[in-house]
Amino acid sequence: MFRKKFLPIEYATGTKSSLRGAIFKVFRYIKTSGLSRTISKINGTYHLKSSVGFSGSYWDNNKQKSKNKKNSVAIIGCGYYAYANIAHYLYKENSGFLRCTLDVNAPRARSLCEKYKGYYATTDFQVILDDPLIKLVYISTKHSFHADYAIKCIEAGKDVHIEKPHVMNKKELERLAQATIKHRNVKVFLGFNRPKSDLFKRLLSQLDNYSGSLMINWFLVGHYLEADHWYFDGEEGGRVLGNLCHWTDATLNLIGIDKAFPLEINPTFINDSSSDFVVTITFNDLSTAVFSFSAKGWVSTGIIESLRIQKGDCVASIESFDKLTVDAKNFKKVWKNMFRDHGHKNNILNSFRNSMSEDGVGEPSEYIINTARLYLAVDSAISTGKKILLDKA
């Protein structure tokens, strides 16, 4: 019964495109992400087509057995993101990081395990729980399985990095909160990347020099998804829990939990669209954030993220996380990255480094709880079209 519950593990990404479109996408990736990341992304798409699996529920990577490395990381959900991001960055940090991969799709579990030199691949979640050498588990399955996997790993004494969203509803949040409180020695990390990006951290340091409330505006254009994409399955949370939670979390980091609550959420209804919405949040310190999210069709530059913010005499902006502009009284400066940096690398490695360090720390329970309460409340406001008042937990 238990194992059947956890079988549906997969991670699909992207939409169908012509060869011409694929070539254009490759050149766009090279320009925005660099050659190494582009190669990793291309390999990730081939990884999804892996066909060589294994019989039974367990596969030994005998090539690694004799190397006697202290591999201590498991990856649950071996789709595109796990292959091209999580494993990619961890391998560059420490080539001996991987102990185990898990996916119901045996070829994907084996492919990721072989590529990144893990010890074994499995389709049985219980194997991970019973392995005393696994210290940290990255969870990158479909959204609806994140919380259940995380709670079971926490109860087994393993640190967890939970990709967004970490919970899908209030009941899951209560269970996760109880697990973190009961097992305080276990470190929990979340897959919200933007606050870990260098430009975002620089923005925060600049805003600290000014006083007053913030006026925040996010203009967001996401990938167009077909109506049958798994994001729109009833249990997977749609675009708010799948996408917008990134920016509600980033905004909470800008405001600060102590200043944010109680807050008021006001949605704008847009033609019954599942991928287009406008939301305004007014925070306790009178800061205001407006989120305009659209995914009407193909966009040549990929995801567009445009942040405009004012605090006192400071006006700042971040464009697609490759350029930060700060325009203040008697001061103006621009920081430009060579490539886009959404914080994926910093966030993935932050979890690894803090888990492996005796002095490392996980995310505070207060943050884990309140960032989830915020995106769940925004989702409720959009789905009902009604204003929501939200107190601090």
Side-chain angles (χ1 to χ4, degrees):
M1 183 76 176
F2 174 77
R3 294 180 187 177
K4 287 182 180 179
K5 180 179 179 181
F6 286 91
L7 277 180
I9 310 170
E10 61 182 31
Y11 196 103
T13 186
T15 55
K16 296 179 180 179
S17 61
S18 64
L19 176 61
R20 181 178 179 182
I23 293 173
F24 178 86
K25 184 181 290 187
V26 168
F27 281 104
R28 187 189 78 212
Y29 278 149
I30 293 174
K31 181 179 179 180
T32 60
S33 304
L35 183 60
S36 175
R37 289 291 299 120
T38 301
I39 292 173
S40 178
K41 288 174 180 287
I42 293 172
N43 288 339
T45 61
Y46 283 105
H47 159 74
L48 294 179
K49 302 175 183 178
S50 300
S51 59
V52 180
F54 48 90
S55 59
S57 62
Y58 189 92
W59 175 78
D60 264 331
N61 188 1
N62 292 315
K63 294 180 180 179
Q64 292 303 115
K65 287 292 182 180
S66 62
K67 295 193 176 180
N68 226 7
K69 294 181 180 179
K70 296 181 179 179
N71 309 48
S72 57
V73 171
I75 296 177
I76 299 179
C78 300
Y80 177 84
Y81 186 82
Y83 187 98
N85 289 276
I86 295 174
H88 171 81
Y89 288 125
L90 288 174
Y91 188 78
K92 285 182 172 293
E93 173 81 358
N94 184 334
S95 61
F97 79 96
L98 184 61
R99 180 163 180 80
C100 167
T101 58
L102 167 68
D103 201 295
V104 70
N105 184 311
R108 291 183 183 179
R110 176 171 176 169
S111 170
L112 196 151
C113 186
E114 279 189 301
K115 169 65 176 179
Y116 293 104
K117 302 179 181 179
Y119 267 35
Y120 65 89
T122 184
T123 57
D124 185 351
F125 178 48
Q126 191 65 40
V127 172
I128 288 180
L129 297 180
D130 293 340
D131 189 339
L133 297 183
I134 293 175
K135 180 173 178 56
L136 170 63
V137 181
Y138 284 81
I139 300 170
S140 60
T141 63
K142 280 187 174 182
H143 303 155
S144 58
F145 295 94
H146 287 181
D148 279 334
Y149 277 116
I151 292 166
K152 291 297 182 183
C153 288
I154 291 169
E155 291 173 344
K158 303 183 187 302
D159 297 343
V160 291
H161 171 109
I162 318 168
E163 279 304 319
K164 57 78 187 171
H166 50 297
V167 297
M168 300 294 294
N169 51 59
K170 292 179 181 179
K171 185 176 180 180
E172 286 187 350
L173 179 56
E174 290 173 2
R175 291 175 54 221
L176 179 62
Q178 290 170 3
T180 61
I181 292 171
K182 185 176 181 180
H183 302 273
R184 294 184 183 276
N185 60 316
V186 174
K187 302 166 190 173
V188 178
F189 310 94
L190 303 182
F192 294 116
N193 307 303
R194 274 62 175 178
K196 295 292 195 300
S197 71
D198 292 336
L199 289 184
F200 194 90
K201 289 187 285 188
R202 189 180 292 276
L203 171 63
L204 286 176
S205 68
Q206 291 295 320
L207 293 175
D208 283 343
N209 298 321
Y210 303 90
S211 59
S213 59
L214 290 83
M215 181 67 73
I216 302 168
N217 188 292
W218 289 96
F219 177 74
L220 309 161
V221 179
H223 289 300
Y224 173 77
L225 300 179
E226 301 289 348
D228 61 352
H229 192 277
W230 67 265
Y231 261 42
F232 300 125
D233 290 349
E235 297 181 345
E236 302 303 332
R239 302 306 293 257
V240 176
L241 272 61
N243 296 124
L244 192 65
C245 63
H246 267 308
W247 300 290
T248 60
D249 175 78
T251 301
L252 190 59
N253 277 268
L254 285 168
I255 303 294
I257 292 176
D258 291 339
K259 296 179 180 179
F261 298 92
L263 55 83
E264 179 179 299
I265 304 168
N266 286 280
T268 298
F269 186 75
I270 303 179
N271 298 326
D272 196 28
S273 172
S274 60
S275 294
D276 304 294
F277 34 78
V278 178
V279 180
T280 301
I281 304 178
T282 303
F283 297 91
N284 186 50
D285 70 345
L286 301 183
S287 294
T288 302
V290 179
F291 305 83
S292 301
F293 184 93
S294 174
K296 297 180 181 299
W298 178 81
V299 181
S300 64
T301 57
I303 294 175
I304 294 174
E305 302 177 53
S306 180
L307 169 64
R308 296 286 189 276
I309 185 168
Q310 182 172 22
K311 183 180 182 183
D313 292 328
C314 177
V315 178
S317 65
I318 292 181
E319 294 296 337
S320 294
F321 280 85
D322 64 4
K323 179 182 178 182
L324 166 64
T325 302
V326 174
D327 190 353
K329 198 172 184 179
N330 303 319
F331 169 79
K332 182 173 182 179
K333 191 166 183 178
V334 177
W335 291 267
K336 186 80 167 63
N337 289 336
M338 180 175 292
F339 303 116
R340 288 183 179 178
D341 172 22
H342 295 95
H344 294 91
K345 177 182 178 179
N346 288 349
N347 197 40
I348 290 166
L349 295 185
N350 173 75
S351 301
F352 179 75
R353 292 166 181 168
N354 275 282
S355 176
M356 300 303 146
S357 171
E358 291 185 4
D359 299 327
V361 295
E363 300 291 0
S365 293
E366 182 184 42
Y367 165 64
I368 294 171
I369 293 168
N370 281 293
T371 192
R373 291 177 71 248
L374 178 56
Y375 70 67
L376 290 174
V378 169
D379 184 54
S380 178
I382 291 174
S383 63
T384 63
K386 295 180 180 179
K387 175 176 70 175
I388 287 183
L389 301 177
L390 185 65
D391 288 326
K392 184 179 179 181

